[in-house]
Amino acid sequence: MNDIVTAGILVIGDEILSGRTKDKNIGFIAEYLTNIGIDLKEVRVVADDEADIIAALDALRSRYTYVFTTGGRGPTHGDITADSVAKAFGVGIDLAPGFKIGNVIVMAGVPSIMQAMMDIVAPKLKSGVRMLSDTVRANAREGDIGGPLREIANAHPDTIIGSYPFQDEDKKPNTNLVVRSRDPEKLQAAMNAVKQMLADLNVLR
Amino acid sequence: MNDIVTAGILVIGDEILSGRTKDKNIGFIAEYLTNIGIDLKEVRVVADDEADIIAALDALRSRYTYVFTTGGRGPTHGDITADSVAKAFGVGIDLAPGFKIGNVIVMAGVPSIMQAMMDIVAPKLKSGVRMLSDTVRANAREGDIGGPLREIANAHPDTIIGSYPFQDEDKKPNTNLVVRSRDPEKLQAAMNAVKQMLADLNVLR
């Protein structure tokens, strides 16, 4: 079994922090990494400030297999991202977004360009065993199934069980239950337990 | 002149990191805070993991005036957010999202509920002098105005000048220039310099 491969994302940009621009990159990269078996563990958004960028970069790159950065002001202010990455690594580089140094992949902030860069870099990355997931609609309020769900989670340690409340088409509170695991048999066993629990609950009503 | 009031956001949720759910809260809170004169300085997204939540919370709450948290699994797993916040403060609390302890405001992850909570909490917050901004369309490529723009930025220290490239309706690379300042006169002076620079450039073409 492969090692678990992890990642952090560092989004750089005053315009994200001011709310002027709404980030579209975190969700895209998160989904992309999940699909290629890389676990995204943490995201940080910092200003276009060299000290802030370096501090966040150093925290993330020491902790995770890969760090993906997006954004940072472009040519106007001397490409602060490239400068900050170079300082964090203690090297002199003169590169635009689109490069990889050590375990850090520096990408553009414009979503279409960032996405093209992901397609180029992805085949070169070490990837882990893909996380699998399965979802069931509970037809129950989240609070009503919390107890039994916790028992199932405890009994199935190599799985992650999440509950996601939503309002259904009849405006009733409903819940999606998602089981995730890298092991298809363990995923199946936990999902079976979840479905049995839901069936039992419905009998009791 | 009031002090500058700062904030951090802590988004908690495996489902954001897996890409299953796309965050809509960061952009909303960022814009909201800008509008009430609070400077958002940093955002972190971490998993539904107590140690990760506490570490991020402690980093943010010691650094900024306020910390806003969103999400964290609900009743299913014993409301990990409330438990983690309580541990970070070393107190025993038994509260659902929607509470404020110290400088930390704990909010729900569901956007409509989170937004209602912001409206309730906002009037109780200390707020600073609102950041003002003005935008001009350069009708130029970002790279072509980087040099003169840097000179203007250096000559106007109490302003922040950002350039945001976009593709215009004729599919040409274009750039929005945004000047921000808390001081309306300094904002005006810097914007005048930017507009003069753009006018000079167009003469030269």
Side-chain angles (χ1 to χ4, degrees), chain A residues 108-189:
Chain A
V110 177
S112 57
I113 302 175
M114 184 281 293
Q115 293 173 16
M117 288 177 177
M118 275 301 287
D119 285 335
I120 294 166
V121 78
K124 297 171 190 161
L125 301 176
K126 194 165 58 165
S127 62
V129 177
R130 195 178 174 311
M131 183 70 83
L132 306 168
S133 81
D134 196 7
T135 302
V136 63
R137 179 176 157 139
N139 290 325
R141 298 169 70 99
E142 189 182 39
D144 293 343
I145 49 179
L149 207 56
R150 197 151 43 231
E151 284 172 30
I152 294 170
N154 289 339
H156 295 265
D158 287 334
T159 64
I160 300 165
I161 304 182
S163 68
Y164 304 99
F166 68 101
Q167 201 178 52
D168 68 19
E169 49 279 13
D170 301 327
K171 304 272 176 198
K172 284 190 190 157
N174 203 328
T175 314
N176 278 320
L177 300 179
V178 181
V179 181
R180 294 193 295 148
S181 179
R182 292 195 154 74
D183 181 323
E185 290 181 13
K186 289 179 178 170
L187 174 66
Q188 188 63 54

Side-chain angles (χ1 to χ4, degrees), chain B residues 151-174:
Chain B
E151 284 172 30
I152 293 170
N154 289 339
H156 295 265
D158 286 335
T159 65
I160 301 165
I161 304 181
S163 68
Y164 303 99
F166 68 99
Q167 200 179 53
D168 67 18
E169 49 279 12
D170 301 327
K171 305 272 176 198
K172 285 189 189 156
N174 203 328

Side-chain angles (χ1 to χ4, degrees), chain A:
Chain A
M1 189 153 169
N2 292 6
D3 285 340
I4 290 175
V5 182
T6 59
I9 297 175
L10 177 59
V11 175
I12 300 159
D14 291 342
E15 77 279 20
I16 302 290
L17 293 173
S18 74
R20 179 189 156 82
T21 299
K22 302 294 181 285
D23 170 78
K24 293 182 184 127
N25 292 334
I26 296 171
F28 178 88
I29 301 173
E31 201 168 352
Y32 202 112
L33 294 177
T34 297
N35 285 334
I36 59 174
I38 295 178
D39 275 14
L40 177 61
K41 293 297 209 180
E42 186 176 351
V43 180
R44 296 195 189 185
V45 185
V46 299
D48 294 302
D49 176 277
E50 193 172 272
D52 290 352
I53 296 170
I54 292 176
L57 196 64
D58 282 344
L60 295 173
R61 74 190 178 99
S62 64
R63 213 168 286 173
Y64 307 115
T65 315
Y66 296 112
V67 179
F68 298 83
T69 81
T70 72
R73 277 191 291 218
T76 314
H77 292 72
D79 212 334
I80 196 164
T81 304
D83 290 351
S84 303
V85 173
K87 281 203 186 169
F89 280 92
V91 296
I93 52 171
D94 185 17
L95 290 163
F99 66 93
K100 175 171 180 296
I101 177 167
N103 62 340
V104 177
I105 296 105
V106 179
M107 302 192 293
V110 177
S112 57
I113 302 175
M114 184 281 293
Q115 293 173 16
M117 288 177 177
M118 275 301 287
D119 285 335
I120 294 166
V121 78
K124 297 171 190 161
L125 301 176
K126 194 165 58 165
S127 62
V129 177
R130 195 178 174 311
M131 183 70 83
L132 306 168
S133 81
D134 196 7
T135 302
V136 63
R137 179 176 157 139
N139 290 325
R141 298 169 70 99
E142 189 182 39
D144 293 343
I145 49 179
L149 207 56
R150 197 151 43 231
E151 284 172 30
I152 294 170
N154 289 339
H156 295 265
D158 287 334
T159 64
I160 300 165
I161 304 182
S163 68
Y164 304 99
F166 68 101
Q167 201 178 52
D168 68 19
E169 49 279 13
D170 301 327
K171 304 272 176 198
K172 284 190 190 157
N174 203 328
T175 314
N176 278 320
L177 300 179
V178 181
V179 181
R180 294 193 295 148
S181 179
R182 292 195 154 74
D183 181 323
E185 290 181 13
K186 289 179 178 170
L187 174 66
Q188 188 63 54
M191 184 46 100
N192 288 345
V194 169
K195 287 181 175 166
Q196 186 61 52
M197 178 270 286
L198 294 175
D200 291 348
L201 273 182
N202 281 330
V203 165
L204 294 176
R205 279 176 187 181

